[in-house]
Amino acid sequence: MKLLKSHKTFEGRTEFWSHPSRETKTEMKFSTFTPAGTIKGCLIWLSGLTCTDENFITKASAQRSLAMHGLMVICPDTSPRGLNLPGEHDAYDFGSGAGFYVDATSEGYRDHYRMYSYVTSELVQIIKEHFKVPKISISGHSMGGHGALVIGLRNPKLFKAISAFSPIVNPSAVPWGQKALKGYLGDDTQNWKTYDSCELLRAGQKHPKTILVHQGLSDEFLEPQLKTGHFADLAQQVSQPHQLVLCEGYDHSYYFISTFIDEHIAHHATCFG
Amino acid sequence: MKLLKSHKTFEGRTEFWSHPSRETKTEMKFSTFTPAGTIKGCLIWLSGLTCTDENFITKASAQRSLAMHGLMVICPDTSPRGLNLPGEHDAYDFGSGAGFYVDATSEGYRDHYRMYSYVTSELVQIIKEHFKVPKISISGHSMGGHGALVIGLRNPKLFKAISAFSPIVNPSAVPWGQKALKGYLGDDTQNWKTYDSCELLRAGQKHPKTILVHQGLSDEFLEPQLKTGHFADLAQQVSQPHQLVLCEGYDHSYYFISTFIDEHIAHHATCFG
C-alpha cells in the first residue's frame, strides 16, 4: 500500500492511498480520514457517477464531525482505472467512473469490474488488517447510495449501519441502472435483482438498524433516475426500519451532502454503539 | 451580473457569478455564500496562487459556520482571465491566477491587473449595492492572506476585521513577492512597500481590531516564502493587536484551512458586533 499524500486535519489525518487490487487486477486508489485517538468505527463512503476517491474527502465537510465522533472514513474510487475495454470511456454513466458496485459477468468487464467484491471483501480486509478497525458501516451518494443500500442489505452483519444521499434505489427500473446492469450483467435480469435495493427488500433482505436517507426535492434526477420514494414505500411494507428525510430546495450536489453529513455521521456513530 | 450556478446549502445559497469588470476590463468571476435570514456582515475571502473563485467555497467547509453566524462570504478570482499579455501564462506565480492584489503599473499589465482596486472599490460596491450588506471584513490564504493584510491595513475603516491563513507577510523580502512586485510594479521599490504588510506596519498603518493569523508549522512555504514571524514581531513592536496561532503538524492546504475556519468566522462575527 502506497501513501500518496497526507494532510493533518482536525488533529487527525486526511490521506490518499494506492494499492494493487486482487479483485480488479488494477492499481486502485482510495482516500481516508483517520481521527486522532481511538477509532470507534469506519464508514465506507461510495461516490457517484464521474467521481473519484477525491470528491467526498475534499467537498463533503465531513472531517470535523468524524473527528468529534472518533470515526474513520474510507472512500474508494468508483471504478477500475487504466484499462481500455470496449466502450469503457465512451460515456459518463458506464465504464470508468461508473462501476455501479457490481461484479460484472460480461465479456472483458468480468475480469476487472468487480466493485462489489472490491468493497465487501478487499476494502473490508484493508480496514480490518491495515487500519485495525473492526466495526464498519456504509454510506454513499447517488450511484454510491445505490451501492451502500445494496451492499448493506446483502451483508447486514458486516455493516453496522447504512445511510444514503439521493440514492438510485431501483436501478432495474431507471435508465442509468438499466444501461449499467445490462452492460455489466447482460440480459440475466434475475442477477440484476441482487443489485437493486428495492428488489432486495422485496426478497426479504433486511437490516436491523434504521436506514437513513436524505433526498433533495430540487434534485433534477429524483424523478427520472433515483425514485427514492420506491424504497421508502417498500421499506414500509416489509417493516425495514428507515427514515427518509425530504429536503425542500436542495439539489444533487455536494453542497447538499455537506449540509446534512453531520446527521449521517451521528447516525453511524450511534449504530456503532 | 450573471448568476451561473446556485445550490441551496445550510438553508442559504452557494452561488457562482460573472460580471464585466470596470477595473480589469475583463469578465470577472466570484462565488458567494449567503445565509438565510438577516446578513450581519460580508467577509471577502482572497485565495492563493493558482486558485480561482471556486477553491474556498468548495473546500473550506465554511458554510455551516457562516450560516450559524449570519455572515456572507464573497470569493473573487485571483486575477483577470481571458487575456494574452506577454508572460501572463508562463508560470504559476505570475500573471493568470497570481494577481497578488496590486494595481499594476507595468506595460500591458497596468490596463487589466488592477486587483487592489477591483477588491477595495468594485467588489465592495457590489457587496453594498447588489447584496445590500453594509459591513465588510477581509481574510485570505497565502497570496490572499497577503492581500487581506495589505487591503485591511490600508483601509481600516472600510474593513471591520482582518484575518489570514499562512499569509505572505513580507513579499518584498521573498522570491514569490519579489517576482510579482517587480513584474507588476517595476523597480519602484517605494511602491512595493504599499503592498507589503510588514512595511505598512512599519509606516504606521494600523487596524483597531485584533488581526488573527493561523500558520501551520509543517507548511513547506513558511520559511522561504511566508515568514509569518516577521509580521508578529512588527505587530508587537508597533502595538498592533494581533494573535498568531502556530499549528503543529499542519501544512499549506485547504485541509488546514477547514480545520480552523470556524475560529476565523467567529472572530469576524465578533468584530462585526
Side-chain angles (χ1 to χ4, degrees):
Chain A
M1 230 151 54
K2 273 189 291 194
L3 178 61
L4 306 176
K5 286 184 287 182
S6 180
H7 306 277
K8 193 169 178 183
T9 317
F10 288 96
E11 296 299 299
R13 299 209 77 89
T14 299
E15 301 188 310
F16 297 87
W17 303 83
S18 166
H19 72 111
S21 163
R22 68 165 186 258
E23 293 294 343
T24 69
K25 297 184 180 63
T26 62
E27 190 73 12
M28 287 293 289
K29 286 185 179 177
F30 61 82
S31 64
T32 54
F33 171 74
T34 45
T38 309
I39 301 178
K40 199 171 169 183
C42 177
L43 169 62
I44 296 179
W45 174 271
L46 304 179
S47 283
L49 290 168
T50 77
C51 286
T52 68
D53 59 311
E54 298 203 7
N55 299 63
F56 181 83
I57 213 82
T58 55
K59 294 178 165 183
S61 304
Q63 283 92 328
R64 193 187 62 89
S65 179
L66 290 166
M68 204 170 76
H69 289 286
L71 300 194
M72 171 184 170
V73 72
I74 188 165
C75 314
D77 201 351
T78 53
S79 77
R81 305 281 176 178
L83 299 165
N84 224 340
L85 304 173
E88 191 186 8
H89 310 302
D90 295 351
Y92 78 97
D93 56 0
F94 185 75
S96 51
F100 259 84
Y101 307 102
V102 306
D103 284 348
T105 57
S106 59
E107 183 73 23
Y109 286 89
R110 67 181 163 226
D111 300 325
H112 301 286
Y113 274 66
R114 295 181 50 76
M115 291 300 291
Y116 180 83
S117 289
Y118 176 70
V119 172
T120 57
S121 167
E122 194 162 4
L123 208 60
V124 162
Q125 193 181 341
I126 287 169
I127 295 165
K128 292 185 174 178
E129 293 176 9
H130 180 86
F131 292 99
K132 315 280 185 204
V133 179
K135 289 186 184 175
I136 304 174
S137 69
I138 196 156
S139 184
H141 173 236
S142 196
M143 173 183 77
H146 140 75
L149 294 174
V150 164
I151 286 171
L153 282 170
R154 284 174 61 173
N155 303 276
K157 287 192 182 142
L158 184 51
F159 298 97
K160 306 301 174 206
I162 309 172
S163 78
F165 288 85
S166 334
I168 304 169
V169 301
N170 198 181
S172 320
V174 300
W176 275 345
Q178 288 163 345
K179 178 176 178 180
L181 295 174
K182 192 173 168 62
Y184 294 129
L185 307 173
D187 293 323
D188 175 9
T189 53
Q190 273 311 110
N191 194 12
W192 290 23
K193 292 186 182 176
T194 65
Y195 295 109
D196 184 311
S197 69
C198 285
E199 296 296 339
L200 289 170
L201 285 180
R202 222 175 243 132
Q205 293 284 1
K206 282 173 83 168
H207 194 279
K209 303 280 180 165
T210 297
I211 298 175
L212 175 63
V213 176
H214 274 70
Q215 175 62 53
L217 290 177
S218 295
D219 183 333
E220 62 183 308
F221 304 114
L222 173 54
E223 189 39 47
Q225 304 282 7
L226 309 178
K227 301 206 178 287
T228 327
H230 286 201
F231 185 82
D233 292 346
L234 273 161
Q236 184 74 22
Q237 279 173 40
V238 303
S239 303
Q240 166 63 51
H242 71 287
Q243 188 188 359
L244 171 60
V245 185
L246 299 172
C247 305
E248 187 70 42
Y250 285 91
D251 63 20
H252 200 66
S253 72
Y254 265 87
Y255 301 104
F256 165 55
I257 297 172
S258 71
T259 302
F260 298 104
I261 191 68
D262 289 4
E263 295 179 33
H264 282 240
I265 292 165
H267 174 70
H268 287 257
T270 304
C271 292
F272 283 129
Chain B
M1 226 148 60
K2 272 189 292 193
L3 179 60
L4 306 174
K5 286 183 287 181
S6 179
H7 305 278
K8 192 169 179 183
T9 316
F10 288 96
E11 296 301 297
R13 300 209 74 90
T14 299
E15 301 189 310
F16 297 88
W17 303 83
S18 166
H19 72 111
S21 162
R22 68 165 185 258
E23 293 294 343
T24 69
K25 297 184 179 64
T26 62
E27 190 74 12
M28 287 293 288
K29 287 184 178 178
F30 61 82
S31 63
T32 55
F33 171 73
T34 45
T38 309
I39 301 179
K40 199 171 169 183
C42 177
L43 170 61
I44 297 179
W45 174 270
L46 304 180
S47 283
L49 290 168
T50 77
C51 287
T52 68
D53 60 311
E54 297 203 7
N55 299 62
F56 181 83
I57 213 81
T58 55
K59 292 178 165 184
S61 304
Q63 283 93 329
R64 192 187 62 91
S65 179
L66 289 166
M68 206 170 74
H69 290 286
L71 299 194
M72 171 182 169
V73 72
I74 188 164
C75 313
D77 201 350
T78 54
S79 77
R81 305 281 176 179
L83 299 165
N84 224 339
L85 304 174
E88 191 186 8
H89 310 303
D90 295 351
Y92 78 98
D93 55 1
F94 184 76
S96 51
F100 259 84
Y101 308 103
V102 306
D103 284 347
T105 57
S106 59
E107 182 74 23
Y109 286 89
R110 65 180 165 227
D111 301 325
H112 301 286
Y113 274 66
R114 296 181 50 75
M115 291 300 291
Y116 179 84
S117 289
Y118 177 71
V119 172
T120 56
S121 169
E122 193 163 2
L123 209 60
V124 162
Q125 192 180 341
I126 288 169
I127 295 166
K128 292 186 174 177
E129 293 177 7
H130 180 87
F131 293 100
K132 314 280 186 204
V133 179
K135 290 187 184 174
I136 304 175
S137 69
I138 195 154
S139 185
H141 173 236
S142 196
M143 174 183 77
H146 141 76
L149 293 174
V150 164
I151 287 172
L153 281 170
R154 285 174 60 173
N155 303 275
K157 288 192 180 142
L158 185 51
F159 298 97
K160 306 301 174 206
I162 308 172
S163 78
F165 288 85
S166 335
I168 303 168
V169 301
N170 198 180
S172 320
V174 300
W176 276 345
Q178 288 163 345
K179 177 176 178 180
L181 295 175
K182 192 174 168 63
Y184 295 129
L185 307 173
D187 293 324
D188 176 8
T189 53
Q190 272 312 109
N191 194 13
W192 292 22
K193 293 186 181 177
T194 64
Y195 296 109
D196 184 311
S197 70
C198 286
E199 296 297 340
L200 290 170
L201 285 180
R202 223 176 242 132
Q205 293 284 1
K206 282 173 82 170
H207 194 278
K209 303 281 181 165
T210 297
I211 298 175
L212 175 63
V213 176
H214 274 69
Q215 176 62 55
L217 289 177
S218 294
D219 184 333
E220 61 182 310
F221 303 116
L222 173 53
E223 189 39 47
Q225 304 281 8
L226 309 178
K227 301 207 178 286
T228 327
H230 285 201
F231 185 82
D233 292 347
L234 273 161
Q236 184 74 22
Q237 280 173 40
V238 303
S239 302
Q240 165 63 51
H242 70 287
Q243 188 189 358
L244 171 59
V245 185
L246 299 172
C247 306
E248 186 71 43
Y250 286 90
D251 63 20
H252 200 66
S253 71
Y254 266 87
Y255 301 104
F256 165 55
I257 298 172
S258 71
T259 302
F260 297 104
I261 192 67
D262 289 4
E263 295 179 34
H264 283 241
I265 292 166
H267 175 71
H268 287 257
T270 303
C271 293
F272 284 130

